[in-house]
Amino acid sequence: MALGFKSLSNPVKSNLAASTATPVPPWAVLSLATNAILLFTVVLLLLETPKTSDSEAARLDGNRPATPTTAPTPTPTPQLGPRHTWTYEEWVEQLGKEARAIAANPPPRLGILAGDSISLWFPPQLLPPQLTWLNQGISGEISRGLLERLPLFDEVKAEVIFVMIGINDLLRGIPPAQILENQRLIIRDLLTWHPNSEIVVQSILPHSGPQATWEGRDRLLEIPNEQIKSINRELEAIARNEGVRFLNLYPLFANAEGNLKPELSTDGLHLNDEGYEIWRAALMTYIELEL
């Protein structure tokens, strides 16, 4: 059963109206009920979540402190200065060290974030406290790159693995069909090497459209958010067919025009702390209801 936040409207009402013509199957009723519970719980969590300060400057200029945003591990991080930008190879090496450290000393409950900069910059203090977290995000990552570095954490025993990838593919002009095929291969690889883990594929988030200030704004505007929604629908179908979960975050971040809400973003592409608080609430809801 695919799991996600389908809409901010009332899906139960519309489906009941349609049932006068066609009986609603039991699985559909269960899915709708689960989605309603998830959305209600997210609202409650957001009301209870304390606000934290932004760190917009580091994100807006495209640089990042050298310390990756993962839970503390026995692996020390070199002190390279707040404006040092690691190469891709340096990031891969560092994430491999952290994965090996976690595998050698596994916590009772472990979650993995796998993806690009949106996952990488998830503030550690905002990650759901029920789990210890291993962050395997790299800035600028594409779906093929993530697929090729999945072996970094083959030996890690995780309770749940959350995957979000794809926006950088679109920015590079990679066809949606190739993105979706890479997503399918990522899912199959994770199922093979992590048979006891819950695999959760997350939707690609929208961008802020004309209100974006990201340095690659022109490229961003070439990607309609309707295209992202279409890819997410196909991604949900793939997740369902492969037997993993799908977490549709898109409706939580989109405004009435389908664009990323500016108040949740630093630049129209990346999230600020308020955006991460919404994502945190969605993850906490999922963990409480499904794990």
Side-chain angles (χ1 to χ4, degrees), residues 22-96:
T22 304
V24 179
W27 64 264
V29 175
L30 179 59
S31 177
L32 290 169
T34 302
N35 288 333
I37 294 171
L38 280 169
L39 188 55
F40 178 73
T41 309
V42 165
V43 172
L44 291 180
L45 285 170
L46 287 176
L47 292 175
E48 296 174 359
T49 302
K51 299 293 183 182
T52 59
S53 61
D54 290 343
S55 55
E56 294 188 2
R59 295 173 185 159
L60 285 171
D61 66 11
N63 292 306
R64 184 69 177 166
T67 305
T69 57
T70 57
T73 72
T75 304
T77 300
Q79 299 301 311
L80 298 175
R83 296 187 64 82
H84 177 80
T85 301
W86 282 3
T87 66
Y88 184 83
E89 291 73 21
E90 287 174 321
W91 272 115
V92 170
E93 181 181 1
Q94 177 64 26
L95 296 187

Side-chain angles (χ1 to χ4, degrees), residues 10-23:
N10 189 339
V12 176
K13 180 177 179 181
S14 61
N15 278 275
L16 287 177
S19 67
T20 59
T22 304

Side-chain angles (χ1 to χ4, degrees), residues 212-282:
T213 59
W214 181 59
E215 59 186 2
R217 180 178 181 274
D218 291 343
R219 284 184 291 145
L220 200 62
L221 294 179
E222 293 176 358
I223 307 168
N225 276 314
E226 281 300 321
Q227 182 185 41
I228 294 177
K229 289 175 66 176
S230 175
I231 293 172
N232 284 336
R233 286 192 293 269
E234 295 187 63
L235 184 56
E236 179 179 8
I238 289 174
R240 183 188 301 113
N241 291 337
E242 297 295 330
V244 302
R245 300 285 187 169
F246 179 78
L247 189 58
N248 188 11
L249 299 171
Y250 193 105
L252 295 177
F253 288 89
N255 59 19
E257 291 74 38
N259 298 331
L260 176 62
K261 298 174 183 177
E263 64 270 22
L264 302 180
S265 176
T266 61
D267 56 10
L269 174 62
H270 300 97
L271 302 179
N272 59 19
D273 286 345
E274 285 72 26
Y276 281 110
E277 285 169 356
I278 288 182
W279 193 358
R280 163 193 167 95

Side-chain angles (χ1 to χ4, degrees), residues 43-228:
V43 172
L44 291 180
L45 285 170
L46 287 176
L47 292 175
E48 296 174 359
T49 302
K51 299 293 183 182
T52 59
S53 61
D54 290 343
S55 55
E56 294 188 2
R59 295 173 185 159
L60 285 171
D61 66 11
N63 292 306
R64 184 69 177 166
T67 305
T69 57
T70 57
T73 72
T75 304
T77 300
Q79 299 301 311
L80 298 175
R83 296 187 64 82
H84 177 80
T85 301
W86 282 3
T87 66
Y88 184 83
E89 291 73 21
E90 287 174 321
W91 272 115
V92 170
E93 181 181 1
Q94 177 64 26
L95 296 187
K97 289 179 181 178
E98 295 181 0
R100 290 191 294 273
I102 284 286
N105 187 25
R109 303 185 69 187
L110 178 68
I112 295 177
L113 294 178
D116 51 35
S117 61
I118 298 176
S119 294
L120 168 66
W121 292 348
F122 205 125
Q125 71 274 14
L126 292 183
L127 285 165
Q130 300 97 320
L131 307 176
T132 299
W133 292 91
L134 176 66
N135 194 321
Q136 293 283 288
I138 293 182
S139 183
E141 185 63 286
I142 59 175
S143 57
R144 186 69 193 182
L146 177 57
L147 174 63
E148 292 177 351
R149 63 182 174 85
L150 290 178
L152 289 177
F153 56 90
D154 277 352
E155 302 304 317
V156 175
K157 308 300 181 186
E159 186 170 345
V160 60
I161 302 173
F162 290 95
V163 178
M164 181 188 288
I165 199 73
I167 188 63
N168 290 313
D169 294 68
L170 292 171
L171 288 169
R172 296 190 188 189
I174 297 173
Q178 186 60 58
I179 300 171
L180 291 166
E181 179 58 24
N182 288 342
Q183 294 261 24
R184 189 192 309 275
L185 294 174
I186 288 169
I187 292 170
R188 291 179 177 178
D189 185 282
L190 292 175
L191 287 173
T192 298
W193 290 96
H194 303 272
N196 298 319
S197 300
E198 187 84 6
I199 311 301
V200 183
V201 177
Q202 300 166 108
S203 59
I204 302 173
L205 299 182
H207 59 76
S208 292
Q211 293 182 284
T213 59
W214 181 59
E215 59 186 2
R217 180 178 181 274
D218 291 343
R219 284 184 291 145
L220 200 62
L221 294 179
E222 293 176 358
I223 307 168
N225 276 314
E226 281 300 321
Q227 182 185 41
I228 294 177

